Amino acid sequence: SAVISQKPSRDICQRGTSLTIQCQVDSQVTMMFWYRQQPGQSLTLIATANQGSEATYESGFVIDKFPISRPNLTFSTLTVSNMSPEDSSIYLCSVKTGPNQPQHFGDGTRLSIL
Amino acid sequence: ILNVEQSPQSLHVQEGDSTNFTCSFPSSNFYALHWYRWETAKSPEALFVMTLNGDEKKKGRISATLNTKEGYSYLYIKGSQPEDSATYLCASYTGNQFYFGTGTSLTVIP
């Protein structure tokens, strides 16, 4: 299984600012994902982070709001841009090491926007 | 978007009681069903990955069954302990994407 380090673990931010969340994996993985869980909602996939190319975004999520970098197979960042209170959520990165393998998650970033 | 539903939304049980909860998912586009346990301030931890109709998996006091034809999975906890308190998430995997339910929040009262 992969060990994932995600930071920051939590932050309180002002409206209109941006925050970058980092995800570091202890081994090379092909599949890396970013999720969001808003209060009372299920985990929702934001995008698949692709190494060396643009991330693949799910419906309702756009690159201008959630730019993602994936410079190599062990690291990715998610930026939450121009934040508003609706962006207050838990953000999680995860990796998947094989077709019948579970996802391994980071500890999450708990983000509150004032 | 696949609709994955979990019930009940929350559950309180006494220590030592056995309990179970349900995950319902569309049986079309099914590849695998995942169960995760998510404790507060920790990352979701994988419990089971199930792919075949009739699959039963067990890990200690926790077990799960899968019915892909009718689109449901049950998670059972035998003799609940306070450390079992967590949110239990299921996710349907289509081979391309995961669709998560909203989870069942379990509180085990000592």
Side-chain angles (χ1 to χ4, degrees), chain A residues 37 42 58 96 100 103 106-107, chain B residues 31 36 38 43 46 97-98 101:
Chain A
Q37 187 189 41
S42 60
E58 297 303 313
K96 195 169 184 297
N100 287 329
Q103 291 188 79
D107 285 343
Chain B
Y31 186 90
Y36 295 86
W38 194 359
S43 59
Q97 187 171 334
F98 286 88

Side-chain angles (χ1 to χ4, degrees), chain B residues 65-82:
Chain B
T65 61
L66 178 67
N67 183 323
T68 59
K69 293 185 179 178
E70 296 183 37
Y72 65 84
S73 175
Y74 293 135
L75 189 80
Y76 301 90
I77 302 179
K78 184 177 178 182
S80 302
Q81 299 297 308

